[in-house]
Amino acid sequence: MLLIACPYCGNRPETEFRCGGQAHIARPADPGALSDAQWAEYLFIRDNPRGIHAERWNHVHGCGRWFNARRDTVSDRFLATYKMGETPQSQESNSTLSASTQAEARA
């Protein structure tokens, strides 16, 4: 089982979390001024890269808080987790599991 490092609770099993999609999406300054097509684009069109991606996650079956994560979509490896409003560190954070720990957790 994969362990995810909640920035509030620490390492917890993946079954406690839900992905909330792409992180760092700016809300429109004046939503009422958008056309239906522009509003639909804001709501539904997201990046879906192969590789490192910033995502929002919710610790549904734990503290219930939202946080951000940088995750490699190819290996499913979490590179960093950080609280909303914070910026990710360029290197692995202390709250993130090492590659060997993640491999052991999957076994």
Side-chain angles (χ1 to χ4, degrees):
M1 175 176 289
L2 176 66
L3 296 177
I4 298 174
C6 173
Y8 303 98
C9 304
N11 298 333
R12 306 296 301 164
E14 66 182 309
T15 56
E16 293 187 8
F17 299 89
R18 296 293 178 266
C19 184
Q22 185 177 351
H24 310 296
I25 302 295
R27 288 187 61 86
D30 186 9
L34 298 180
S35 69
D36 287 346
Q38 291 170 319
W39 185 245
E41 183 172 335
Y42 164 71
L43 290 176
F44 302 113
I45 304 302
R46 297 289 182 254
D47 293 336
N48 188 18
R50 179 178 170 85
I52 298 173
H53 186 59
E55 299 171 324
R56 298 171 6 159
W57 284 78
N58 182 240
H59 193 176
V60 176
H61 300 293
C63 64
R65 293 180 175 175
W66 285 91
F67 62 92
N68 291 322
R70 288 180 36 87
R71 183 175 68 89
D72 185 336
T73 61
V74 175
S75 65
D76 203 25
R77 183 171 178 235
F78 281 76
L79 305 174
T81 58
Y82 50 101
K83 297 175 182 178
M84 293 291 206
E86 294 180 348
T87 55
Q89 297 176 5
S90 58
Q91 301 296 321
E92 281 191 25
S93 70
N94 291 335
S95 65
T96 304
L97 298 172
S98 68
S100 61
T101 304
Q102 286 193 16
E104 291 169 10
R106 288 182 191 271

